[in-house]
Each structure stands twice: as C-alpha cells, then as structure tokens.
Amino acid sequence: FVLPPTDPDHDACVRIFTPGQELPMAGHPTVGTGFVLGAERGRADLVFELGVGPTPVSVEVTNPMAGRATMQQRVPNYWEASATREEAASLVSLGAEAVHASLPILNGGAGVDYLYVPLRDRNDLAAARPDAAAMTRYFGDAFHKAVYLFSIERDAESDVRGRMFFLVNGATLEDPATGSAAGPLAGYLVNQGVLPPGSVRLRQGQEMGRPSDIEVTVTGAADAITRVTVGGGVVKVAEGTLFLP
C-alpha cells in the first residue's frame, strides 16, 4: 500500500502485508512498487519509508511494462540458532545428515528474520517438505516463523539455490522468491568465506516450477560488510481500478 511520506524528502510510505501479518520490509513488494512509481513519476532513484526506516530504491524503466529495480537493504545481523542439526532438519522432514557438515545454522535478517539452514546438496533441497507441527513447536511465538534452506552447489545459472518455508495461521507455505531473505543469505555466504564480496546470483522457486533469479551485491569484506543491494528484472503483469462509494 502506497501512502504519502511523513518526510517530504522521501517519495512514499509503503506498507506491506502477507496473508497473516504486516511486515516491516520485504523485497519483491519494494522493487515492484519502485518500478511502478519510478515509471509513473519518471524517477530513477526513490526513497521509501518502510518499517525498517528509509530505504533507497533504484529503477531502470526499459518500457512501460518492464525494467529493473534494486533496493538497498540494511546490513544484516546474525546470531546463533538454538536448533540442533537434527531439529533444523526435522522442520523440513529431513534427517540430520542432510545438513551441511561445516556451515553453521544461524538466525539472520535485515528487518525480517529467518532461520538459515545450509544443506548438503540440491537433492536434499529438492526433497525438503515442511512439517507444520515441527515448525510450530520450534518457532513458538516468534514474529516471523520462517526457515530458509540453501545449497551452495554452483552452476551456470546461480551461485546458490534456495527454498523458503513459512507458517501462516498454522499452515505452511513456500515462497518462490524472497528478497528480504536474499540479502542476509548473500551476507552469510560472504561472512563464511563461501563467496567473495561482490555479485551473488540466487535462484529460488526451482522446485516449485517457478524459478526466480535474484541478484544480490555485497560490498565490503567478509568480516565487515558495508552495503547490500537486492534486485533484478521487473515485469508489470496487471493493473486495475477500485471504485469506492
């Protein structure tokens, strides 16, 4: 939802909702809104007021229906997860052996938190199935009940492959693309020495038949990340008008 900004130096106040809650920030609603407003207003650079604070968005309009948009996210934070390998694997119906042997299970986020679970390979990623009861027990009353699985096997299309499962009203859903998780995931990979700072290509949604390519840029050093941007191509797919009495 696009509202007038509270600060005249900003372009809009943007509020974002899932089927179950309002979020302080999200990736795809932000870049999508950035493309629409950038195209309408003839602007290449915008600043949105999100729940995490002022958020810069850069827009490239190729034509009225398509282009690109990138948001700057906060530098992500990470903290130790309470989940054991067995417990983390059980959230997605896998055995402990499916969890990567040397990478840590961490909580992390840049406004919306995720449990990041590295898996052994893409076969395990494909085999994952969310367990609503296990996720309900583990996440309890956490604000955002979400687990992000990933495999660091690289190919010509991506540096990392991911899947995200979350709880909404006691049921599990899978998201084909999660921009708010992509920035912290790339930061995790840089922090752990898996990838150098720079561009990180993430593919998510492949297992759903909805492959989504997300481009993340991490600036700084492995132990001192200074800037994270998330974005990619944007396509306008629909529009409509509401008539209110």
Side-chain angles (χ1 to χ4, degrees):
F1 292 91
V2 180
L3 305 169
T6 59
D7 185 330
D9 290 333
H10 300 156
D11 295 280
C13 173
V14 178
R15 298 182 66 184
I16 301 167
F17 295 80
T18 74
Q21 63 190 147
E22 181 174 4
L23 295 178
M25 62 87 75
H28 285 69
T30 301
V31 298
T33 302
F35 172 77
V36 170
L37 295 187
E40 288 181 352
R41 300 178 184 183
R43 298 280 303 281
D45 295 295
L46 304 163
V47 177
F48 291 162
E49 296 173 355
L50 300 180
V52 295
T55 300
V57 181
S58 298
V59 181
E60 300 175 25
V61 179
T62 305
N63 59 62
M65 298 300 294
R68 300 177 57 81
T70 300
M71 69 179 296
Q72 182 176 330
Q73 296 187 353
R74 298 193 316 190
V75 174
N77 293 316
Y78 307 94
W79 61 101
E80 184 177 357
S82 63
T84 63
R85 289 165 56 87
E86 292 79 6
E87 190 172 19
S90 73
L91 300 178
V92 290
S93 309
L94 297 175
E97 69 281 357
V99 179
H100 196 283
S102 58
L103 292 175
I105 301 166
L106 293 178
N107 292 309
V112 178
D113 299 336
Y114 297 89
L115 176 67
Y116 288 95
V117 181
L119 296 183
R120 178 176 52 185
D121 56 40
R122 290 184 179 179
N123 291 329
D124 293 315
L125 191 67
R129 299 292 183 271
D131 184 322
M135 290 180 66
T136 298
R137 288 192 300 271
Y138 177 76
F139 286 108
D141 60 356
F143 170 73
H144 194 241
K145 304 172 177 65
V147 55
Y148 199 100
L149 312 175
F150 62 95
S151 166
I152 60 172
E153 291 179 278
R154 302 177 72 177
D155 59 23
E157 298 172 326
S158 62
D159 300 309
V160 58
R161 179 81 60 82
R163 298 182 74 181
M164 196 279 274
F165 301 107
F166 63 108
L167 278 172
V168 175
N169 301 323
T172 58
L173 295 174
E174 181 171 2
D175 190 8
T178 313
S180 59
L185 173 62
Y188 171 110
L189 297 175
V190 171
N191 281 340
Q192 297 299 321
V194 176
L195 295 173
S199 178
V200 177
R201 300 169 303 156
L202 166 63
R203 172 161 287 192
Q204 187 180 328
Q206 182 79 31
E207 295 75 14
M208 301 173 66
R210 297 175 63 187
S212 303
D213 292 318
I214 304 173
E215 301 168 11
V216 187
T217 300
V218 179
T219 304
D223 58 351
I225 293 172
T226 57
R227 189 171 186 266
V228 175
T229 64
V230 176
V234 180
V235 176
K236 186 176 180 180
V237 294
E239 64 181 344
T241 302
L242 295 177
F243 296 95
L244 303 177

